[in-house]
Amino acid sequence: MDTTPESYLDLFPLEDIVYLTPDSENVLEDIDPDKVYVLGGLVDESIHKQVTLRRAREQCLQTARLPIREYMVKAPNSRNYHSETLAINQVFDVLSTYYETRSWPAALRAGVSSGKGYVLPDTAEQ
């Protein structure tokens, strides 16, 4: 991994950038090694819906979301809380595990904590 003060918009062609946001209608089905994935993040105590999606659209970027709904189920919990919004380190864990295993269930198990209210179907009854 390299870090730079330059914007990703200045470093890569727009058509090669995919902005990951939980509000995207597009599901990330696979990682394309020729694409650059931007992990949109906010440092805030509350979740602001659509902010990262609006930013990506303003920059004319492709968007995608992790396939949480496709592979996980809502777990019953006392607060009836379910969120697909993850911290940057959780998204990174999901992507890293998927890249190594090519398994979304394994990747989501590694990065999505049970506190988000989602579990894999095989653990829903536990």
Side-chain angles (χ1 to χ4, degrees):
M1 176 171 24
D2 295 324
T3 59
T4 178
E6 295 174 86
S7 170
Y8 52 86
L9 298 172
D10 297 327
L11 295 171
F12 305 102
L14 293 182
E15 62 272 10
D16 291 345
I17 300 172
V18 179
Y19 201 111
L20 297 178
T21 170
D23 300 311
S24 179
E25 59 278 354
N26 306 312
V27 178
L28 183 64
E29 295 179 14
D30 198 6
I31 295 174
D32 182 343
D34 294 326
K35 297 286 185 184
V36 175
Y37 295 90
V38 174
L39 283 57
L42 303 171
V43 180
D44 200 337
E45 291 298 318
S46 60
I47 296 171
H48 297 282
K49 298 296 285 175
Q50 305 288 322
V51 171
T52 53
L53 182 60
R54 277 196 306 272
R55 173 175 282 170
R57 286 182 175 160
E58 287 166 3
Q59 297 171 343
C60 300
L61 300 174
Q62 301 170 69
T63 64
R65 64 174 173 79
L66 296 177
I68 293 172
R69 284 179 243 156
E70 288 70 21
Y71 288 91
M72 302 185 92
V73 295
K74 290 182 177 181
N77 61 64
S78 60
R79 297 181 306 154
N80 196 28
Y81 175 76
H82 303 92
S83 176
E84 295 178 50
T85 302
L86 305 178
I88 290 175
N89 62 304
Q90 293 172 310
V91 175
F92 186 81
D93 288 345
V94 170
L95 294 174
S96 296
T97 303
Y98 178 77
Y99 191 75
E100 291 173 12
T101 66
R102 289 305 204 229
S103 166
W104 281 118
L108 294 166
R109 182 178 290 117
V112 179
S113 70
S114 60
K116 290 293 179 178
Y118 283 90
V119 294
L120 292 169
D122 61 348
T123 59
E125 301 298 319
Q126 298 175 0

